Amino acid sequence: MGTKGREIVKLEVPDLVADLTRAYADEWLAAYAYNYMGQVVTGRPAAKNLAALLRDTAKDELEHQQELAERIVSLGGKPVPVISKLIETSNDGYPAPPENERDFEAIVRTVIKAERGAIEVYHRLGAKTEGKDPITHCLVVHILGEEVEHEDEFESLLGEV
Ligand SMILES: [Fe+2]
Ligand SMILES: [Fe+2]
């Protein structure tokens, strides 16, 4: 960011970078877990739909980590350089897939729990950045909208699994 771009950020930048970095770690962990669950679900006719939704959602989470990384770097920070630090950096830890990959309901509930955590994180960041950092604000509100959609899509599966 240039001089004026920095000037309009009215928040403690290291603190903001730390918030964004925690969210960045959450996104990688969600992307990995969703993609993994999409790869292993088997055993029922509906599995193909659930697998496709898991993998599509994983792609959204990967986009989110990319968008967060761009903002972190433009604020002068670095995302997480060491992969083994992702879990300790994250807000919510790893959304561990259930042991039984045939337990669709447990899979769906794992995703819903992660999405609710993400909604809380971006809602809080939206409030924190409002009027203080319009670019980060725009980004977190955009991501928040997608997390709200994710929760809704997986909640609507609960009646069917
Ligand atoms: Fe996300
Ligand atoms: Fe999500």
Side-chain angles (χ1 to χ4, degrees), residues 27 30 34 57-58 60-61 64 111 114-116 118-119 122 143 146-151 154:
E27 296 292 352
Y34 297 0
T57 310
D60 288 348
E61 313 306 5
H64 297 164
V111 176
E115 294 300 331
R116 287 177 182 163
I119 290 169
Y122 294 113
I143 297 177
E146 296 196 349
E147 309 303 12
V148 165
E149 256 180 56
H150 292 165
E151 184 203 34
F154 281 88

Side-chain angles (χ1 to χ4, degrees), residues 5 10-11 22 29 38 47 51-52 55 57 61 67 81 83 85 88 91-92 96-97 99 105 112 116 122-123 134 139:
K10 305 292 185 198
L11 288 166
R22 280 193 289 276
L29 295 170
R55 291 200 304 263
T57 310
E61 313 306 5
E67 291 163 338
I83 193 166
K85 302 273 184 202
E88 67 188 72
N91 287 294
D92 286 337
E99 265 179 39
E105 183 164 334
I112 290 172
R116 287 177 182 163
Y122 294 113
H123 185 239
L139 171 62

Side-chain angles (χ1 to χ4, degrees), residues 20-90:
L20 297 176
T21 305
R22 280 193 289 276
Y24 168 89
D26 291 335
E27 296 292 352
W28 268 117
L29 295 170
Y32 187 90
Y34 297 0
N35 197 60
Y36 172 82
M37 290 189 284
Q39 287 163 339
V40 300
V41 285
T42 53
R44 286 199 220 169
K48 272 193 179 151
N49 293 339
L50 178 59
L53 181 61
L54 284 162
R55 291 200 304 263
D56 271 5
T57 310
K59 280 185 200 148
D60 288 348
E61 313 306 5
L62 273 182
E63 262 179 46
H64 297 164
Q65 68 75 25
Q66 179 64 36
E67 291 163 338
L68 289 163
E70 283 166 14
R71 189 60 184 149
I72 290 166
V73 171
S74 82
L75 287 164
K78 284 181 190 167
V80 184
V82 181
I83 193 166
S84 58
K85 302 273 184 202
L86 278 179
I87 291 173
E88 67 188 72
T89 307
S90 67

